[in-house]
Each structure stands twice: as structure tokens, then as C-alpha cells.
Amino acid sequence: MSTPAAERIQALRDQIDQHNYRYYVLDEPGIPDAEYDRLFRELKTLEEAHPDLVTAESPTQRVGAKPKGGFAEVTHELPMLSLDNAFSEDELRAFVKRIAERIDTINGDTLRFACEPKLDGLAISLLYEEGVLVRGATRGDGYTGEDITLNVRTIDNVPLKLRGRDWPRRLEVRGEVYMPKSGFESLNERARARGEKTFVNPRNAAAGSLRQLDPKITAQRPLEFCSYSTGIVEGGELPDSHSETLYQLREWGLKINPEMRLVTGADGCLEYYRDLESKRGSLAYDIDGLVFKVDSRALQQQLGFVARAPRWAIAHKFPAQEEITRLNDVEFQVGRTGAVTPVARLEPVFVGGVTVSNATLHNMDEIARLGVKIGDYVMVRRAGDVIPQVVKVVTDKPRGQKPVHVPEQCPVCGSDIERTQLIKHGKSGAQISEGAIYRCVGRLSCEAQLKQALFHFGSRKAMDIDGLGEKNIEQLVDKELVRSPADLFRLTERDLLRLEGFAQLSSENLIAAIDQRRHVTLERFIYALGIPEVGEETARTLANGLGSLTNIRKALPQVLATLKDIGLTVAHEIHNFMQDSHNQQVIDDLLALGVEPKESGQISATLVGSVSFGAFIDSLGIFRVGRKGADNLAAHFSSLDALLEASEEALSEVSGLSNQARSNLFAFLQVEENRRKLVETEQQLREFGMHWECEPQSSGQILPLEGETWVLTGAMERLTRDEAKVRLQALGAKVAGSVSAKTTALVAGEKAGSKLAKAEQLGIRILNESQLIELLEAEGQGV
Ligand code: IVH
């Protein structure tokens, strides 16, 4: 290979392999899709012009021709074993105890385990010779499987050739082929749209896809591979522990699970179990439990095997995600966009860790496709946080009789229901799937949710729009004058005159009331958006702290979580809300319509340099590290960069950090995704001036009411005493309960009594409500 074409071909293959590695293994894409496609096309064109230069490892050669006959048999040189199961904490503790008893030199509490999710897919074996993929096989019965080389070659994240050079001459990599939830959903959606059979769960879909005789079909299925162990190793060596072996596999280009962690003892395993159980719903793939493996290979060898399972590993299973129950009824719900969804009312059943009595049936076609009747026994599936679904009718149980009647009119507003073609677009803009949705055509959204959102938006503590009562909202929505909060600002007097109970004057008044609200405080605006978990208090923290809508919109969860009384859960709610495209549209529309929240535009002076390096490490919530450990780490490593570079040895020099804390932190820092987030968060803390290296501007920048003592008394109209207090404090004032010679000023509301008298006596400055508001507004703390 030395002609210019041959050189270019080699360069393109290297580049494509490098991008695949970044995309599939490191999860950090290096170039835009379009650029990748361009490289791929160039390679294809060159190879077509030079067929003699095509090799089996070229990235263009993933999909081969259909083989004749079925799959050949493969004998596993080393059997592919299975795992023993633990279903409870006691069973897990017994497992650790058994190990400690067998090797009496070790203490179970200090024994190191690698923990991984138990992926719910199919075990396969990949054989690499001289770094080239030569065979892929199913597990079969553990001793003999089937040769599925042509199919595994089509899985994009299975390397056809290993990276680097120092791999063993023969290396067998074992792992799981699975279908991510999103891929499974879209595969089923497409099948539903064509009226074809759907797969019951991602596992069956993965199995069905691997079993295809034509690799072209497998190639279209969204399969992924993740490695978790090795088999044959000849002509080379692997590291001494399971975890290091996995990191080595990742260097060679194989995907490993980013959730892998090292922990010690049964307690460490159980903490990991609880952590992953809570994350289960948000993982991109199905898991049916966890696997705990003794990390040291030397110990693994001492422990050996019993029957067909290793003594050094165990699977801790989660509760089942599928159960059978009776379908009692079907009801039809109308969603925010007017789409009508049939909902199954079920005989309550315990599945996926909760009792389920409702499940989705997707759409009307699904009812026909499943052929489901009321009274049938059905299989219900609930994977993590995903909405439970009815996946099939169980035919070996008595069948129900009553057909499900599909309504022709919207059950909420009574207008006709229409079947619309739904066209979805892929990344490149090409149409990828076509389905049908049933939509109530009476209006874009006829449901109570929009009305509720509008009611909250206009309420007194939110945008405080006078005259926008429940009855008027009802009419505005019914007459399709308002489809989102932003539409309120598009209303004209003529629109309102169409409503019952509106005359010239009342229309003018409501329009004026709305118009006035184009300038509300940022905290009211944030509160009015109705972000889940964000009440007035949190809205105020956000507005006063971050100072601008722009900052609040882009704040990362870890940054939000450093604000007073905002935990990680609420921080995620806020971040998710702001990332949602519908919400973004509503906010953009509001701004475009002239709504301009009053804002200081600046991060609060009190937050400058407020996040110490220790607090930042602590906020990662790594098991066993704690605030003290975090502070010690911060004192030891001068910067995040230094911490990211730290070897496990360097970590062990930090005082006050337990072995478990150290290995948890080290494992955490090995995960690319975590590293990326840390760097991003640090960057934003710097941008916001909250970073530990940002100096509070102490000289000169003194708060306007610094050193003053204020007292509030009597009732106020436009803000509560608490609201006034928070604002005065934000300006640096102390707010006291009683008047004394030290008092700087008294704010006297309606019906002020003895405090007012005393202040007058002492000749203290006295302000009424509107004077206070004027002052607050002048200092950027307006109402
Ligand atoms: S280790 C000797 N690790 O679970 C140990 N297995 O019953 C071999 N599985 O057939 C397996 N995720 O299909 C291991 N992280 C993981 C796994 C895992 C899923 C499956 C695998 C195997 C079965 C064991």
C-alpha cells in the first residue's frame, strides 16, 4: 500500500476508527455527524474505485452477504459460565462471608469488589487474533454456541480491529449484546406504525435481532455491545485485577460499562445496589440486577468455581419487571397536545418494585394489533421509571369477551378525533419512521392542564394579572385564543370582546393589566413558569443568586445545587425544565412579546467565590468521601486538574480518607462522562464568578445597606414582611425585631403601633410601603 489512493484509504480508515472509538467507547464525539458521513462516503468511493484495496477490517465492510444454511456450531474452549443469584441483603452478606471463610487471611470488610450493572441482553464471545475480530459466538448452553460472526460485525461499537498493539495474540472478550431503551422504543414504534408484531422487551428484541440469518437486517437494529470479562488469553497478559482488565479493554477500543465502581465489603456492595436501584429508570438500557465480582484475579483463582458458577462473583437481582394481570377497562385520555391515548385499567399487580393499576396502550391501532378485549389477562411491563405498558395478551388464560370501543369524539371536549400521519425526522433530516396518532381536532389542547398552567401563571404570587380568573381562562382556551402562557401577551381588545362578560371597558382593563406585567421581577417570572418543585422561596433564591434569566436558563445541575436550599433533585428538575424544547419555546415567545423580567443581570455579590474546592468535591456525593474527606482532598490537590490526574497512589496520600472512599473516588474519576461533567461544571462556576479562585470584590463593592439595621412593622399590601426582609438583607441590611437607638430606619405599614411611636420618639427615619418599594427598586430588588 503505497500509492496515493492506498495512503488516503488508510488515513480515512484510521480517522473513522478514531471517531468510532470516541463516539462509542469514550462517549465524547469528536466531529459532527455530517463530517463523519463525508469521511465514510469518501472511503466508500475510493474503495469502489480500488476493489483490490478492500480489507475485511475496513469500516465499510461491516455488513456482509447472507450466508448459506444456518449458523455453524462453536465449541467454547473455556466454558461460558453463569452466575449465582442473591435476592436479598442477607444472601449478599452470606456470599461475602463464604469468601472470607474460604480464604482465612482476608477480612470480608476490606475485600475489594468490582460492581457492574447486570445488563439484560445476551452473552456473547468475541475472538480476536492478532488484534483482528475473527469470530463472534452466542453463549448457547455455555459449552457450545452458534457462530454469529457476520451479525456481530454489524454492531457499530464492536471493533473489527483492536486499537494499539500490545494485545495478546489470541484474546477472547466476553460481554453482553443489548438494545438501548430508546432504540427499542423506536423499533417498536415503527413496527406498530406498519401494523407489525412488536417485541415484548429490549432483551427479546436483541435476541431476535442477533438470530437473523440475514446480517442486513441485524445491521438495521440498534444493538450495542458492552464487555465485562475475558475468556481465552494467549500470547500476552492481562492486568492483575478485573477492573484494570476492563480499563485495558477500553484502551483497546471495547466499550465497558461507565457505571462500574470499586467498593469494599458487603456494605460497599449494598450502597452501590441502592444507588443503582435509584438510577435504574434513568439508565439508557435495561438491567435486571447488579453483578459483584472479587476484583483481585489472584483471589479469583484461589476461590475457583462450584458447578457452573464462579465462587467469586454473584448477581444481585432486582424485582421482576413483567407480570400478568387482568385488564378491567380501557379509558381514553387527552394529552397536552390533543393526542388521545388509551389507558388500561388493570387489576393491581406488583411489578418493577411498585403496584401498578394503570398502563398505557399507546394508541388505538395498538388495541387492534394486540387484539385485546376487556377481561383479558395481559402481560404488563414496567422498566424503571418508564410508564407501565401492556405488551401482550396472554393466550393460555381465559380470554375476555367485551370488545374495546374506540371513541370517535374526544372524551374531554366532544369534538371529532382524527387519525394523523406522524412523520419523524432523523439526524440528517431524512424521514425515518411514519406512524399514526389520534388527535382531538377541536383544538390544539383541550385538557385541564393548560388551563391550570395559565391559572398558576396569572395568580397573585406569580405574574399577578388582575382579572384573569378561572372563568376567563376557561373561555380563552375554549375559544382557542390562548394555547400557551405567551399567547396572553398577544391578546387584543377585539379578542376579548368575543368572550362572555366582556365589554369595552373590561377588555381594555384586562389588556392593560396584562401589558403592565411585561415588567415583573425575575423571581415572579421564574415562579410563574411553574417549574416542578420550584415555589416562591426557590424562585427567589434563583433570581437573587443568579441575577438573570440567561444564567438561570443555562445553569448546570451541580452549579444550581450549590445555591441555598437547592438540593441535587431540585437542581435536576430546574435544569431539565430549562432544557425542554417546549418550555424553551414558551420562554423565547414571552421574551419576543416584550416580557422583560427586571433583573440585576449579575450573580449576587454574596456568591462571588462562594463555592470552595472542598464543597465542590463534596457535592459529587461520592460514597464515604463526605465533607471532611472532600476538604482534605481540596487541601491536598491544588486544582481540579491535579485531582483529575491523580493516581490511586497519590490519593492514598490524602489524610482522613478511608480505603473505600479512596477507591470509590478513584473509580468515579476514571469514568469519562464524570470527568467531562466536572470540567464543564468548573467552567461554569468560573464564568459565574462562583469558583473558589474568584475573589470577592471586597474593596469598594460594599452592599448599599451594609452596616444598617432596619425594622419592619404593620401590614403591607404589595409584599409580605418576609419578602421585604429578604430583600433588605440582600442589600446588606440587618433586619431586627425591635426599635432601639441602633435602628437605622423603620418601615411602617398599615396599622403600625408601638414601634412607630418609639421610632418617632427617637427621631429615626421612617418609610412607608411605597417609599420602601421605591428604594428597593432603585437598588435592583424591586417587587
Ligand atoms: S459476568 C463468570 N457481568 O448474566 C461470570 N455477567 O448469569 C460471567 N450478565 O450469562 C458473567 N451483565 O449474560 C457478568 N456485568 C456482567 C453481566 C453479566 C449481564 C449476564 C450474562 C451472563 C449472566 C449470568
Side-chain angles (χ1 to χ4, degrees), residues 99-291:
I99 295 177
E101 280 168 2
R102 250 193 126 74
I103 305 174
D104 48 15
T105 52
I106 60 162
N107 170 352
D109 294 339
T110 61
L111 189 57
R112 187 128 100 139
F113 291 97
C115 322
E116 297 159 26
K118 186 168 185 296
L119 298 164
D120 202 5
L122 288 100
I124 66 157
S125 138
L126 300 174
L127 186 61
Y128 288 90
E129 287 179 357
E130 311 288 353
V132 173
L133 176 68
V134 295
R135 193 194 69 196
T138 60
R139 173 173 181 273
D141 63 5
Y143 299 94
T144 43
E146 286 174 328
D147 186 325
I148 50 161
T149 311
L150 291 172
N151 285 348
V152 298
R153 284 178 62 95
T154 71
I155 302 175
D156 285 325
N157 78 343
V158 168
L160 299 179
K161 194 174 94 219
L162 297 179
R163 293 168 58 83
R165 347 208 85 265
D166 50 347
W167 8 261
R169 196 171 35 74
R170 282 185 94 214
L171 172 68
E172 183 190 3
V173 178
R174 292 175 175 181
E176 201 87 348
V177 170
Y178 58 98
M179 191 176 284
K181 291 178 198 167
S182 59
F184 167 73
E185 295 297 340
S186 48
L187 184 67
N188 266 0
E189 235 170 66
R190 264 178 282 168
R192 260 182 229 117
R194 293 196 216 104
E196 291 169 7
K197 221 177 137 231
T198 50
F199 289 104
V200 170
N201 55 37
R203 202 194 111 79
N204 286 10
S209 303
L210 267 192
R211 229 179 281 121
Q212 292 293 330
L213 277 171
D214 185 353
K216 283 198 188 63
I217 298 181
T218 313
Q220 288 161 13
R221 302 285 171 84
L223 296 176
E224 278 181 20
F225 173 75
C226 179
S227 12
Y228 52 64
S229 75
T230 52
I232 306 164
V233 183
E234 285 170 14
E237 273 185 30
L238 294 179
D240 298 335
S241 70
H242 174 72
S243 54
E244 288 167 303
T245 301
L246 292 188
Y247 294 135
Q248 176 65 75
L249 291 181
R250 185 172 61 184
E251 299 270 299
W252 288 333
L254 290 143
K255 183 186 170 82
I256 63 169
N257 198 304
E259 305 296 335
M260 200 272 283
R261 299 280 185 281
L262 289 172
V263 302
T264 45
D267 286 340
C269 292
L270 287 165
E271 262 186 274
Y272 180 82
Y273 179 91
R274 284 189 280 272
D275 183 44
L276 219 73
E277 193 180 30
S278 69
K279 273 202 209 158
R280 186 182 186 184
S282 59
L283 294 176
Y285 42 81
D286 266 359
I287 61 176
D288 56 350
L290 309 172
V291 186

Side-chain angles (χ1 to χ4, degrees), residues 129 214 216 224 231 283 331 365 485 524 532 534 568 605 611 649 663 666 668 684 712 728 738 767:
E129 287 179 357
D214 185 353
K216 283 198 188 63
E224 278 181 20
L283 294 176
E331 284 173 17
D365 290 340
R524 276 183 184 274
V534 175
L568 261 183
V611 183
E649 217 171 45
S663 60
F666 183 69
F668 179 88
Q684 189 167 73
L712 299 162
L728 288 168
S738 61
L767 291 85

